Amino acid sequence: MVALLLAATLVVPGGYAFLALALSVAGLSWRAGLLPSWKDAWTRPGVRWLVLGIAGYVVAYVLVGIVHGYKIQYYEPLIPFFLAPFMLAGARRWLPAQRSVWLGFAFGALLAGFMAWFQVYHEGIARAHGAHGNAIPFGHIALLLSGASLCGYLYFHRRQDHWVYQTVCLAGVGAGFVASFLSGSKGGWFAIFLIFFVWAWRVTARRPLRVRLAYLTAIVLLFPALLWFAPRELVWDRLIGGLDGAVHWLSNGGITEGSVSIRLEIWRFGLAQFWERPVFGWPQSEAISAMRAHLRQFDISDVLANLGTFDNLLVETLMSAGFVGLAGLVCLFVGVLTTFGARYLSEDDDHRELALAGMLITVFVLGYGLSVNVLGINAFRQVYLSWAALWLALSLWSPASWIRPDKSGYTDPSPSSGGS
């Protein structure tokens, strides 16, 4: 079941919320085991960092809302954060087999890649958007699926598991790239380089240092080659146009296109405004109105009506929440990253890929936040919290014993695991 929920992430309307909803309901309805699960999790290394990180973000968010006098609708984005402990308990109740989880991510990436190809080359849509209606969340979350598929491949590869599983996960890595390229969401493409880097470093873990460095060098050279074969209008034209816009903005401050140069100007304006109210920032409506008023001096009337965000998580936080909001943001990401980092360093190899996945999703979302206000989009919040809860629960409670497959055949690697 968990595998099906993960596979539906980008290809079913609202699919990104299915896992979060299912885990929350399972946790809320599990009265007998809810408190023991929380107590057990609290005693494990690193988990308290996660709790403190989420709590710090929620407290900062509420303080800003009180100061600015926001209505109750302002607090709606906090719902997934309040449900995070129940998601953890729900994952503990289900406790799916790791094999099912990794394959679910891989199938989700494969479906996303196919849907992106179908939309662009069969339906003639300019930029693939999956079931989201928005190319940016679709392309970015496709790369999260790709990164999770990478961790699945590393899991099956380390265990010398069936070659079919390894192949499916590698195909999922590539399909996530395809979906992202066809979405044209270039703000998240650094994640592709990071996926290659992590793959080379982990697969060559037992090789001599010179071999590992040779692999990394090959990856650095392969990345531009991969872009070369990508669709010209969706990748190269957008990269060149964005680079040209950045050069013009740096030289004369002009806005020449609706992607890079306009973002640079918005960020510059937002940071300048932040220093006028550095503690709690500006009310959101005033911040957006001031941004639009500032941009009217440029010839961008065709895109001005759609601008309702600063397209940068850091700038948006500083502008509308000040240093208080920034402190909450740091708590959230440092808390999650520290939790999975501690588990990566302290746990045995059987759970290492789960910890690696938790660190990667945090770094990816932070990277996405440089070009989009990720926590202002429901899909990113749901995915970030539900996947982190699932991986943490598996690293805390999934069985660590497994049977190495015989080279002459295939043996179930996790006979003692729960169902999927």
Side-chain angles (χ1 to χ4, degrees):
M1 182 176 179
V2 172
L4 293 175
L5 294 177
L6 292 170
T9 298
L10 292 176
V11 298
V12 176
Y16 58 83
F18 289 166
L19 182 65
L21 179 62
L23 293 178
S24 300
V25 170
L28 287 166
S29 62
W30 192 32
R31 298 179 181 178
L34 189 60
L35 189 58
S37 293
W38 286 353
K39 289 181 178 179
D40 185 29
W42 184 255
T43 62
R44 302 296 186 97
V47 176
R48 296 183 184 184
W49 285 102
L50 178 71
V51 176
L52 292 174
I54 292 177
Y57 178 77
V58 170
V59 169
Y61 201 94
V62 171
L63 281 176
V64 171
I66 293 174
V67 169
H68 291 315
Y70 291 138
K71 297 180 179 179
I72 192 66
Q73 293 88 343
Y74 164 81
Y75 301 97
E76 182 181 349
L78 291 181
I79 293 176
F81 294 92
F82 287 122
L83 291 177
F86 300 100
M87 295 181 196
L88 182 66
R92 168 69 181 91
R93 182 180 184 182
W94 273 348
L95 203 60
Q98 281 198 56
R99 178 182 62 200
S100 300
V101 170
W102 296 128
L103 290 176
F105 284 116
F107 283 126
L110 287 168
L111 289 171
F114 174 77
M115 175 170 274
W117 172 86
F118 184 83
Q119 288 183 334
V120 171
Y121 292 108
H122 183 75
E123 296 184 335
I125 297 175
R127 295 175 62 183
H129 53 70
H132 278 279
N134 189 321
I136 293 176
F138 175 76
H140 287 3
I141 295 176
L143 286 179
L144 291 180
L145 287 167
S146 183
S149 300
L150 165 72
C151 294
Y153 168 77
L154 295 173
Y155 173 79
F156 292 125
H157 176 77
R158 176 179 54 77
R159 292 160 56 101
Q160 299 180 18
D161 221 324
H162 201 282
W163 66 269
V164 172
Y165 294 163
Q166 298 183 49
T167 303
V168 169
C169 287
L170 282 179
V173 174
F177 295 169
V178 170
S180 180
F181 283 147
L182 295 182
S183 75
S185 303
K186 58 183 178 291
W189 287 344
F190 177 74
I192 299 175
F193 177 80
L194 188 59
I195 289 172
F196 274 127
F197 187 90
V198 172
W199 178 83
W201 191 252
R202 283 294 307 274
V203 169
T204 61
R206 300 184 183 278
R207 302 288 186 90
L209 180 60
R210 64 179 182 276
V211 175
R212 304 186 77 182
L213 293 177
Y215 268 83
L216 294 178
T217 302
I219 291 301
V220 172
L221 297 175
L222 179 62
F223 186 67
L226 178 67
L227 294 177
W228 180 263
F229 291 103
R232 181 177 180 84
E233 64 279 4
L234 283 174
V235 178
W236 278 106
D237 289 351
R238 288 180 59 78
L239 282 175
I240 293 173
L243 180 61
D244 182 71
V247 170
H248 277 82
W249 183 85
L250 291 171
S251 61
N252 56 31
I255 298 177
T256 59
E257 40 74 60
S259 180
V260 177
S261 59
I262 192 172
R263 279 188 168 92
L264 291 172
E265 180 59 29
I266 289 173
W267 301 345
R268 186 204 63 76
F269 172 77
L271 291 175
Q273 292 292 99
F274 151 70
W275 286 112
E276 296 186 12
R277 296 185 181 181
V279 181
F280 287 99
W282 296 72
Q284 290 178 343
S285 58
E286 292 185 29
I288 298 300
S289 296
M291 177 189 69
R292 288 179 172 175
H294 170 73
L295 292 177
R296 287 194 182 98
Q297 64 181 294
F298 301 94
D299 185 20
I300 55 170
S301 57
D302 55 332
V303 297
L304 188 59
N306 296 322
L307 291 177
T309 175
F310 285 83
D311 282 334
N312 185 299
L313 179 62
L314 178 61
V315 174
E316 186 104 13
T317 300
L318 287 173
M319 180 72 173
S320 60
F323 279 122
V324 173
L326 179 64
L329 198 66
V330 170
C331 284
L332 175 63
F333 285 105
V334 170
V336 178
L337 191 61
T338 302
T339 294
F340 284 107
R343 304 206 64 76
Y344 185 86
L345 295 174
S346 64
E347 286 293 319
D348 59 0
D349 284 345
D350 200 64
H351 293 151
R352 181 155 290 187
E353 291 81 15
L354 295 166
L356 177 63
M359 291 190 291
L360 281 179
I361 192 176
T362 305
V363 174
F364 282 15
V365 172
L366 274 171
Y368 299 162
L370 296 178
S371 60
V372 62
N373 180 19
V374 284
L375 294 184
I377 298 177
N378 192 38
F380 286 117
R381 291 195 304 272
Q382 299 277 12
V383 165
Y384 184 48
L385 291 173
S386 61
W387 293 11
L390 177 63
W391 287 327
L392 181 59
L394 286 170
S395 70
L396 290 175
W397 295 299
S398 64
S401 60
W402 54 277
I403 300 174
R404 186 180 298 277
D406 185 9
K407 293 182 179 180
S408 60
Y410 171 68
T411 304
D412 189 343
S414 52
S416 59
S417 299
S420 60

